[in-house]
Each structure stands twice: as structure tokens, then as C-alpha cells.
């Protein structure tokens, strides 16, 4: 079983709990305006790797991952779901914590996803917008399947974290904060993280001769703090 991949990071502290080994798979079905890895969009580019090669490489650094594990990110890793199932099945045999970073738009309630959920300890789900209007403007795709995926995980008592990239002047208003508060309540006060938009990927777009369509400032810590406070206010009001 092989996967097309972009790169591997052997010491990450931001892609799940603890120190983690992160595999970035190639390919994405969305075209987000703020994407900082446009070189991962095509599933056909870069290199291929096998399950055994990843397990072997992970074990070289295993002492670092006592409180961590392996995370697969992208791109959109669920484009290569068969590989993910095979990979995580092997890691669960040796007791390693497994995590996937995904936007969830490819979810279907079928046997493959049931198998994947069984061998995945944590899903980090990036919400592209509070509704279809916002999500389509940002990524070109709605959020119906993403919400179905989150609800499915919630009903199965699976661990998940929802993340949301804060884009100044685009998705940082009261309407968005209120809808997020409703979402958090809907899924039992789930874990929710606000990530600040940054421009670190702009140079990659330029190198690929691709137009970068966002012309906004990066989000500051104060922007994130203010937005979180808005969400809390609506939660305290029981999201009327």
C-alpha cells in the first residue's frame, strides 16, 4: 500500500497532543483562499511511500513520542483513505496514538469510514465556514458533509477538535461568532480552537505562478481573543 506524500515532520508540537510525527499527504479537493500549502493541491505530485516505510521511520524516533503519536495531515488526507486505514491499523497494533487533520468534506457513512474511525484516536477538523455561504466563499465547497462527519463522530463518542481560521473582515463578525456558539452547543460543548490567519504561504503561490486572492491583514492575538470573547458571550446567553 502506497501513498503520495509531500513531506514528513518528525518533531511537531502543534498537530495533536504531545510531540508528534506528522505525515503530510499530497492532494486536496478544496481550493481555500488562505491555503498556505498550494504545492500540496495536486495528488499526483511529489513522492510515494509505503506503510512499512512510515512505521519503520517512526520507530527510529519513538522515544520522542511517549506522550504523542502520529498525525496525518495534508492537503486532504482522506483522499487516500485506503492508505490511512492500512497505516493506522499497523500503528494501533503497537499502541500508538493516531490523529488525522481533515476538513471532513469527503465523509460518507460507509464501511471504509467506519474502519478508519475505529483506528483513529483523534480527528482535528478544520471548519471552512459557519454555513455554506461563508464556506463556499473561502474554499469553494459547502459544509454539509463536514457537519455530518462531526455529528457522526459525536454520536460515536469519538474524540475530535474543531478548528477555525480567523480571517479579518471576512469571517470574524458577530454572525459568525453566534453560529459557532450554536455549533459548540450542538455538539456538547466540543473542543473548539480559533487559528489566526497568516500570510506565510503567499510566497509559495507566487513561486507557482498562482494568483493569491486574499488581500487582508494577518489576524493578531487580539483579533483572536476578541472573537473568542464574542463566542463566549453567545454561549452565556444560551445562543438565543
Amino acid at each position: 500500500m502506497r501513498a503520495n506524500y509531500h513531506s514528513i515532520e518528525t518533531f511537531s508540537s502543534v498537530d495533536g497532543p504531545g510531540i508528534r510525527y506528522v505525515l503530510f499527504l499530497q492532494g486536496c479537493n478544496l481550493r481555500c483562499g488562505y491555503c498556505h500549502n498550494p504545492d500540496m493541491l495536486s495528488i499526483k505530485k511529489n513522492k510515494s511511500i509505503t506503510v512499512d516505510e512510515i512505521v519503520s521511520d517512526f520507530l527510529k524516533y519513538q522515544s520522542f513520542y511517549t506522550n504523542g503519536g502520529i498525525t496525518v495531515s495534508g492537503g486532504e488526507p482522506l483522499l487516500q483513505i485506503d492508505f490511512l486505514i492500512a497505516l493506522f491499523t499497523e500503528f494501533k497494533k503497537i499502541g500508538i496514538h493516531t490523529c488525522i487533520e481533515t476538513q471532513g468534506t469527503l465523509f460518507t457513512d460507509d464501511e471504509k469510514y467506519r474502519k478508519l474511525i475505529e483506528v483513529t484516536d483523534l480527528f482535528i477538523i478544520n471548519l471552512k465556514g459557519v454555513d455554506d455561504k461563508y464556506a463556499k466563499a473561502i474554499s469553494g465547497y459547502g459544509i454539509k458533509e463536514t457537519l455530518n462527519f462531526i455529528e457522526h463522530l459525536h454520536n460515536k463518542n469519538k474524540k475530535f477538535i474543531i478548528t477555525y481560521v480567523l480571517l479579518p473582515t471576512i469571517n470574524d463578525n458577530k454572525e459568525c461568532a453566534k453560529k459557532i456558539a450554536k455549533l459548540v452547543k450542538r455538539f456538547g460543548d466540543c473542543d473548539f480552537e480559533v487559528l489566526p490567519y497568516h500570510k506565510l504561504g503567499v510566497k509559495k503561490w507566487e513561486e507557482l505562478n498562482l494568483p493569491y486572492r486574499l488581500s487582508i491583514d494577518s489576524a493578531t492575538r487580539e483579533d483572536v481573543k476578541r472573537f473568542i470573547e464574542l463566542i463566549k458571550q453567545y454561549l452565556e446567553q444560551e445562543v438565543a
Side-chain angles (χ1 to χ4, degrees):
M1 181 72 70
R2 284 187 169 272
N4 293 331
Y5 80 107
H6 178 273
S7 56
I8 292 171
E9 185 173 348
T10 58
F11 198 88
S12 171
S13 60
V14 295
D15 296 281
I19 304 301
R20 307 190 71 82
Y21 180 102
V22 185
L23 171 67
F24 294 92
L25 292 185
Q26 195 73 29
C28 187
N29 60 311
L30 302 188
R31 294 297 182 265
C32 298
Y34 59 76
C35 180
H36 59 275
N37 290 314
D39 48 332
M40 293 187 190
L41 295 179
S42 172
I43 198 170
K44 296 180 180 180
K45 293 175 64 177
N46 276 302
K47 305 154 283 190
S48 69
I49 196 166
T50 68
V51 168
D52 289 344
E53 286 171 336
I54 294 170
V55 174
S56 177
D57 193 44
F58 177 93
L59 293 176
K60 294 178 186 177
Y61 313 98
Q62 189 173 11
S63 60
F64 291 115
Y65 310 129
T66 303
N67 297 313
I70 181 170
T71 296
V72 180
S73 187
E76 173 46 62
L78 297 183
L79 281 170
Q80 302 187 65
I81 189 171
D82 292 326
F83 179 84
L84 284 176
I85 294 169
L87 180 68
F88 280 7
T89 297
E90 292 305 307
F91 274 108
K92 295 317 295 178
K93 288 179 182 177
I94 55 177
I96 303 302
H97 185 276
T98 55
C99 173
I100 294 174
E101 293 184 310
T102 175
Q103 23 85 354
T105 61
L106 297 172
F107 172 69
T108 55
D109 186 6
D110 60 16
E111 184 61 26
K112 285 187 179 182
Y113 271 88
R114 287 190 283 273
K115 287 182 179 178
L116 180 65
I117 290 168
E118 285 179 8
V119 294
T120 305
D121 295 305
L122 173 66
F123 289 88
I124 300 174
I125 303 173
N126 182 234
L127 188 68
K128 298 301 180 181
V130 295
D131 56 25
D132 282 347
K133 177 185 72 173
Y134 282 96
K136 288 179 179 178
I138 292 166
S139 70
Y141 205 94
I143 60 168
K144 179 181 178 181
E145 287 81 6
T146 302
L147 294 180
N148 287 342
F149 188 33
I150 295 171
E151 186 160 14
H152 185 83
L153 294 174
H154 176 66
N155 292 338
K156 295 292 184 181
N157 293 315
K158 292 295 294 189
K159 178 70 174 174
F160 63 89
I161 300 170
I162 301 174
T163 62
Y164 180 87
V165 177
L166 190 69
L167 305 169
T169 73
I170 294 177
N171 67 357
D172 61 344
N173 54 49
K174 290 182 178 180
E175 177 188 12
C176 291
K178 186 173 183 177
K179 289 189 175 183
I180 287 172
K182 287 184 177 181
L183 190 70
V184 171
K185 294 297 291 184
R186 173 180 171 185
F187 296 117
D189 295 319
C190 62
D191 291 334
F192 187 90
E193 297 180 2
V194 178
L195 308 176
Y197 162 74
H198 59 73
K199 297 183 178 181
L200 299 179
V202 174
K203 186 176 180 181
K204 289 185 180 180
W205 286 77
E206 294 173 349
E207 291 172 348
L208 293 170
N209 292 317
L210 295 173
Y212 189 79
R213 55 189 175 88
L214 287 185
S215 56
I216 58 175
D217 294 329
S218 298
T220 66
R221 290 183 180 180
E222 286 303 312
D223 292 331
V224 171
K225 182 178 178 181
R226 178 192 60 79
F227 190 69
I228 291 173
E229 287 302 317
L230 268 178
I231 296 171
K232 288 180 178 178
Q233 288 175 24
Y234 286 115
L235 286 171
E236 290 169 359
Q237 297 168 14
E238 295 297 323
V239 202

